[in-house]
Amino acid sequence: MAHARAHIGTTDFLTTIETGGRTLSADEPEALGGGNAGFAPYDLLLASLAACTCITLRMYAARKGWPLEAIDVELHHSKDDKRSKITRVLTLTGALDEAQRARLAEVVERTPVTLTLKEGADIATTFN
């Protein structure tokens, strides 16, 4: 089960995030009043989807013994009538046949983060 903590102080928008025993920073770009000192929130969301995509496909291909040498994922987020849209473009390197590529195309639509984003998530908020 994943767990994260975030802290923001008085520096406009600069947020420290701790997760998985590591620390990273989030911020907004200067154009939005931040200091551009960390990843923007939607950048983190896309990074999560990209990482899950690569890791899941690598695991699947390795289990099958398929010659998948590299995976490149490019993602873009936009809004259309208040609904988020993410476009994902994959480049697979290796001597994969058409059946293997077709199967990976099916698998990519069922990666854990893909499913979470497509299905939505219940968020329960409380205050201390």
Side-chain angles (χ1 to χ4, degrees), residues 77-86 117-118:
H77 173 265
S78 62
K79 290 219 174 187
D80 185 19
D81 293 327
K82 297 184 182 182
R83 176 133 174 98
S84 284
K85 295 184 107 174
I86 298 173
L117 290 171
K118 285 183 174 185

Side-chain angles (χ1 to χ4, degrees), residues 6 8 11 14 32 51 53 56 87 104:
I8 189 168
T11 303
L14 181 59
L32 295 177
T53 299
T56 302
T87 57
L104 291 173

Side-chain angles (χ1 to χ4, degrees), residues 17-85:
I17 302 164
E18 294 179 13
T19 184
R22 293 176 180 79
T23 302
L24 59 116
S25 296
D27 199 356
E28 289 289 350
E30 291 176 2
L32 295 177
N36 201 34
F39 300 100
Y42 277 107
D43 294 338
L44 292 168
L45 179 72
L46 293 181
S48 176
L49 179 59
C52 186
T53 299
C54 287
I55 291 167
T56 302
L57 292 183
R58 166 62 66 214
M59 285 177 174
Y60 189 87
R63 277 196 309 265
K64 295 289 189 177
W66 293 352
L68 179 59
E69 297 170 10
I71 305 160
D72 292 289
V73 180
E74 186 169 339
L75 297 163
H76 294 277
H77 173 265
S78 62
K79 290 219 174 187
D80 185 19
D81 293 327
K82 297 184 182 182
R83 176 133 174 98
S84 284
K85 295 184 107 174

